[in-house]
Amino acid sequence: AVQSAPVSTTSQAEIYLSQFGYLPASARNPASSGLQDKHTWVSAIEEFQNFAGLNVTGELDEETMKLMSLPRCGVRDRVGSSDTRSKR
Amino acid sequence: YALQGSRWRVKNLTYKISKYPKRLKRVDVDAEIARAFAVWSEDTDLTFTRKTSGPVHIEIKFVESEHGDGDAFDGQGGTLAHAFFPVFGGDAHFDDAELWTIGSPRGTNLFQVAAHEFGHSLGLSHSDQSSALMAPFYRGFEPVFKLDEDDKAAIQSLYGRKTNQYTPTNVYPPSTQRPSYTPPKVPLDGSVCKDSKVDTIFNSENGDTFAFKGDKYYKLTTDSVEEGYPKLISKNWPGLPANIDAAFTYKNGKTYFFKGTQYWRYHGSQMDGAYPKEISEGFTGIPDHLDAAMVWGGNGKIYFFKGSKFWRFDPAKKPPVKASYPKPISNWEGVPNNLDAALRYTNGYTYFFKGDKYYRFHDARFAVDTATPPFPRPTAHWWFGCKNTPSSTGFRRR
């Protein structure tokens, strides 16, 4: 059976964060990967860590990549723009 | 919880399984899928009827890799399934490269994943409550399944509470429906638009949001006040006085109210024992005459605010308040002293209220959020839905 690869590199993490709504969809395109500015990259990791209940470090650490490798639902965590939160 | 923004206009929905998994018997799959839908009928008036052909609301398919919707599956592990929100059709797709199992710790449990995906089909997005069914990560086989309060609040915010006697096909403990209480109406007054300072704001156990002011309370919608409010506090919380200082609902489902040197505990609208008690008795280390209190989403601990200081209270620790407290409120970058209220709102953000303004706090950055219009914003406009009031305070936060 085909096994889905665990997340163990920065570019795999970039694809993951884009797939689930933390980075723009363009980041899933290998040709453009690595073109994130630092602030966007750190914010995306912080958002994922905050959502997943991890320590919010902004670093792509072991703990974070381990969680990214867990089986999960394919629907994005961040749906639409950030203002899907209530109006307030 | 979080909502995607769309829902079905009807509550009696139909579904069909147009492609079955390779390794399970169809009759078993039919039963598990019915049980998974029934999870969402338990606390609402939603009903789900299986059809074998023709048009349905929700179509279910077990497919592998690229399957026509542009979102290819990835083989065993990784992505297990995905579903579309109502506005996008509501269908649910399951990766048939997974080892789908029923009632076994082996492989991937079909019932749990299906119940999650049908949450999306009904309009729910992912929750950051790790205990919720709508959390994105598969938690392994759970022999005893129980829908989390977070999930119940989410589905009821879209489809209302259960009112019919329709009993879902699965075996669940009958939900203990608290008798709904309709207190006498007090005519809506515009005073809160002229003076939007609140005594406290808190969420109830089932996710309703209440603002207290004097002897009255307002039940809030997503952007204003529900029809027919304010009402008298004493009518909905018998025994509770007016002019409450602070309030919060803890994960035990109980709501705690604080005033002066005393506090009260309620379960829904019922006082939960002999109250009031002294704050020093039930919350050792916490001062009297509080300004605000909340359960912070960042760590689930209870925070109390008074003057320029705050305390962190952890009931599971001895002592519940570390010696390093109180600490200065200035640690919460951008939040002012002498607050009126603090709230972890149902959209996941933390809010602080002072006078006629409020601040939205970014938990990850541990600072007041930056947005347009900037914070602080006028409470009247954004929380009470007051029409002819400004939506911004006209100056940038320093």
Side-chain angles (χ1 to χ4, degrees), chain B residues 242-256:
Chain B
N243 305 310
I244 292 292
D245 291 339
F248 64 83
T249 296
Y250 196 50
K251 58 189 172 191
N252 61 3
K254 309 292 174 76
T255 303
Y256 298 79

Side-chain angles (χ1 to χ4, degrees), chain B residues 198-200 202 212-214 233 240-247 256-260 264 290-291 340:
Chain B
V198 294
D199 291 340
T200 189
F202 65 98
F212 277 20
K213 187 176 176 63
I233 290 171
L240 193 64
N243 305 310
I244 292 292
D245 291 339
Y256 298 79
F257 299 95
F258 300 81
K259 179 178 180 180
W264 291 255
L290 295 161
D291 289 345
D340 291 327

Side-chain angles (χ1 to χ4, degrees), chain B residues 366-396:
Chain B
F366 214 69
V368 168
D369 211 357
T370 52
T372 303
F375 293 100
R377 290 181 183 174
T379 302
H381 176 90
W382 295 86
W383 288 82
F384 294 118
C386 299
K387 291 286 169 269
N388 43 12
T389 57
S391 66
S392 80
T393 47
F395 61 84
R396 300 200 67 75

Side-chain angles (χ1 to χ4, degrees), chain B residues 153-168:
Chain B
I155 199 69
Q156 287 180 346
S157 73
L158 286 179
Y159 299 98
R161 291 168 179 227
K162 187 174 198 53
T163 59
N164 67 15
Q165 294 319 309
Y166 163 76
T167 46

Side-chain angles (χ1 to χ4, degrees), chain B residues 247-294:
Chain B
F248 64 83
T249 296
Y250 196 50
K251 58 189 172 191
N252 61 3
K254 309 292 174 76
T255 303
Y256 298 79
F257 299 95
F258 300 81
K259 179 178 180 180
T261 66
Q262 298 177 315
Y263 78 99
W264 291 255
R265 188 176 77 190
Y266 280 73
H267 197 181
S269 298
Q270 312 297 326
M271 193 181 287
D272 191 40
Y275 289 90
K277 296 182 193 304
E278 289 301 300
I279 293 175
S280 54
E281 181 190 336
F283 292 86
T284 309
I286 298 302
D288 299 334
H289 297 89
L290 295 161
D291 289 345
M294 69 164 176

